[in-house]
Every structure is written in C-alpha cells, then in structure tokens.
Amino acid sequence: MKPFPLLAAMGSIASSAMLMNAAWAALGAQDRVYTADQNSNTVSVVNPATNTLLGQIKLGNQRPDILSPLYKGEINVHGLGFSPDHKTLIAISNGSNSVAFIDTASNKVKGIVYIGRSPHEGFFTADGKEVWAVVRGENYISVIDPTTFKETGRIETAPGPGMVLFHPAGKLAFTVSSFTAEVDIIDVAAHKVIKRIPVTSPFSPFLQFSPDTREIWMTHKDVGKVTRIDTEKLNVKGVFDTGMITNHIGFAKTANGTLAYVTVGGENAVKVYTMDDTPKLAATIPVGALPHGIWASADGSRMYVGLENGDAVDVIDTATNKLIARVPVGQAPQALVYVSNAAGAQGGTSNLSARVNTDPINIALKSGSGGGAGFVVVRNLGLIDSLEVSLFKLKPQTVYSIYVSGQTTPVASFKTNPKGMANGTAIGPLRQVSNTLSSTNAAPSKIIVMEGGAPADPGKAVLLSAS
C-alpha cells in the first residue's frame, strides 16, 4: 500500500515468565511471538521459525475510531502474559480496562473481563489457577479466575502497580510500581504484601527473573537505570545506569554465559550486560525506532524486540549480537512475549486478520537554540494522520509549540513536566494544514519546535527535524 501524501511528503526527513518458557528447545514452527499493538488495538502473531507475520488478532479498531461514543472494542492494547501450558494468551488494554483471554491454537478470544482503571500488565500464577492483573490507575492487583473470566478478589499494593511476576516455586510474587519507588513482595496464597523494598525511582514498568531465579532485574524508565533484587535475601543487590527511556529486559543463555538484554528507547539500542556483581556492557546493538518489549526464544538463540515507533519486531542473534531480521507488526507495539509450542495441532494460523496498518515515518529532532532533544513519529490513520511528539531536555514546566514548515498555526502545543519532558499526539487532517503536505503540491516538510507561542522561525527554533 502506498503511503498517504503526508507520509510521502515527510519521508525524506524521516522469569517466572521465561521459566515457564524455558524448555530451552530449538526454534519451532509452532512457537509464536506476540506483540501488543497499542495504536492499532491488535495482537500481532509472528512465526519465529521463519520470522514472518502470520496476521493479527483484532481486539479493537485503529485510532481515531475509538473516540466514537458507540465504540465497543478494546482500547490501547498494551500488556501480555501467558499460561503455564502455553494454551492461553492474555492481552491487557489500559484504555478499556480489560483483560482478554485468547486461545493460542485458534487465535479466538475466549472471554474478556473488565476490571479497574488503567490496568497495565498481567500474568498467570505458577500453577495456572489465577491471573493477576495490575491496576496501575489505582492501588491494587485484580485476581481473576481464568475459567469463569470473573474477578475473584483484589490485593492492595502501593499506588500504581506496573507489573507482577511469580517465582516458579509458587509462593512469592514480585510487583513493581509506576508511581511509587518500591517493590512489593506478595505471599501468593495469602494474597497479602509481606515486604516492601525501596528502590531508586517511582517509575518501574517492567521486571524479569534471571534464568536461575536468583535475581529480579527491574527497569526505571524515567531515570534510565536498572535495579537488581536478590530473590533469596529480598533486598537490592545493585543499581546501574542504562540510558534514557529504559523499557524492558530479556535474558538469554549463550556461549558467553547468561546475558541481559535491555531496550533503551532513547538511544534506539539494545544494550547487553553481563551478570557480574558489577554488570559489564558487553555490546550495544543498534535497532529500529524506540525499542520497547523484549523476550528471548526458548533456546536463547534469538532475542525479539518490539519497536514502539517502528511498528515492527527486530530479531537479534545472541551468538553474534547482530540484527538478523525485521518483521512488520501492528502500530506502537508495547509488550512482547515468546511462547513456545503455542500453535498446537491446529497450526495456530486461523482467525487472523491481515496487517491493518502501514509503516510509520520517524523524524529525529536536533537541537536548535534550546539545547533539547526529541523525535516525531508520523502515522497514517486512513483519512487523517497523527504526529506523535516526544521532547526531552527542555525547560521544565514550559509550553512548546510544534509547527510543520509552511504553516502559521501550530499543529500542537505541549507543556513539559518538572524534568523538561513532554509527549503527546496531534491527530487531524494534517495534509490540509500546509501546502507542503497537500496531495497536489507535495514537498519535503520540516518539523519546527518553538518555545511558547512564538511563530515558526527555523533560525530561532528550539528543535528542528534533523534533515
């Protein structure tokens, strides 16, 4: 499919979980990689044996259809988890407050349960009898019966629980928070927090067990760090710097020992660390735009990386730490999981839709007069388009206006937070805003970021598109 005029015009500037998976078998045709596609509201299904997209499980409509008052589908498909027998996938949608249960053999939705405000991630208990979904917009974990699809209880946590995983021994669960600088350790049988461990940052969206289960590594997205927790002593073992927008972690057993792979969105890289008491940076692997979710294959030979701004999955060979494939998926993939033998005897290719989205355009922003940084993602949404803007290292609590060259009115304005960061999305008929974006007079366009409400002026811009 050819890109719409805006994209053409701008193109020139463009674990317990792992342990459940850890039979460490070779890549198989019945294995699956799943991504939770936040903007297209799909789950993309990839065959890792061939690195091909088999299709998408449609849970909702692509933006902006979700704004209709009669809309009934899921919104912001974000988190993923799977059952110990690999027969059920769960997909958490934080906009519609839902957990969808999907049969991995048929790709059919078996049931949906609606829970509290803005759930983020979820997972099955080690025995498979419960699903725990963290309700990040509140202060509890929703406990769900995976056979009746009913909420059976709630476990109070620190405000903003971000993710929960279960030690394979089945007695303890570990929960990180997106709003509170602590890790909550929960007695699984009692459904109660038994210990709270202070950590370095309040924003921790992800955790993962090391393959030997002796440690949990958790990310701190806001400060670009990783914390290691000893799962026997139940204390912090260490903290180290990784980089801006540190998202998720995966582990792989390789010929060079067990290595940790960390997605660093602000650098478009996956950083590889040793498991030494003081982790050593073993490799930095350039990948596509804004790497987010990551998961190892069952044999540890591959690492699969979801590209939030690339609408694709990058595949890394862990023997060489080189990128070997890129697979197109849905819009803005968030969580990613690898599930071995998920397809079963049915083959796992039924009830899938063709890819609903086209590829995005990524535009890096370079510093002009303001010394900041940022990037823009341009996506086609049918009759309209979106500009997803992320700004960093600017003045705190300050308004910035976003222009496309050739226009006098900004397409959006954003106010930075106390750390000088801002992000948001402008959606509309942007091809009609400027002659440079029109279908009859297409020409390369530029993004211009001005402080306050100042008119567009490339000579005085805080940030400019890089080319």
Side-chain angles (χ1 to χ4, degrees), residues 166-181:
F166 300 88
H167 193 283
K171 294 183 179 180
L172 296 179
F174 295 78
T175 303
V176 295
S177 176
S178 295
F179 302 146
T180 308

Side-chain angles (χ1 to χ4, degrees), residues 323-358:
L323 189 66
I324 60 172
R326 178 167 292 168
V327 185
V329 294
Q331 280 190 341
Q334 305 291 305
L336 178 152
V337 294
Y338 185 106
V339 186
S340 59
N341 198 31
Q346 296 184 46
T349 58
S350 58
N351 301 303
L352 295 175
S353 301
R355 187 177 186 229
V356 301
N357 52 291
T358 57

Side-chain angles (χ1 to χ4, degrees), residues 207-262:
L207 75 158
Q208 188 61 278
F209 283 96
S210 61
D212 62 9
T213 75
R214 293 180 179 178
E215 294 184 23
I216 280 178
W217 287 32
M218 58 184 291
T219 58
H220 301 287
K221 187 168 183 172
D222 57 339
V223 295
K225 297 178 184 289
V226 165
T227 290
R228 303 166 73 181
I229 292 177
D230 187 309
T231 58
E232 294 181 0
K233 298 179 181 179
L234 301 182
N235 60 15
V236 173
K237 182 176 180 178
V239 182
F240 63 98
D241 294 327
T242 45
M244 186 174 69
I245 315 180
T246 292
N247 275 314
H248 290 195
I249 298 170
F251 291 95
K253 292 180 178 179
T254 74
N256 296 317
T258 299
L259 298 173
Y261 290 72
V262 182

Side-chain angles (χ1 to χ4, degrees), residues 91-123:
I92 292 87
S93 300
N94 57 39
S96 50
N97 303 331
S98 64
V99 181
F101 290 75
I102 300 168
D103 180 80
T104 57
S106 66
N107 299 309
K108 286 186 176 180
V109 176
K110 299 187 292 184
I112 295 179
V113 56
Y114 292 93
I115 55 177
R117 180 180 180 275
S118 193
H120 185 241
E121 292 280 358
F123 226 90

Side-chain angles (χ1 to χ4, degrees), residues 356-422:
V356 301
N357 52 291
T358 57
D359 291 336
I361 298 296
N362 281 270
I363 304 167
L365 299 178
K366 65 180 180 179
S367 178
S369 62
F375 51 82
V376 174
V377 184
V378 184
R379 286 187 169 99
N380 169 248
L381 302 178
L383 296 177
I384 59 174
D385 308 284
S386 73
L387 264 67
E388 299 174 26
V389 181
S390 296
L391 307 176
F392 310 95
K393 300 179 180 179
L394 297 175
K395 294 179 182 178
Q397 306 286 11
T398 302
V399 173
Y400 290 89
S401 297
I402 316 300
Y403 294 85
V404 175
S405 59
Q407 57 159 312
T408 59
T409 303
V411 297
S413 295
F414 302 107
K415 185 176 181 179
T416 55
N417 64 18
K419 296 183 179 180
M421 303 168 64

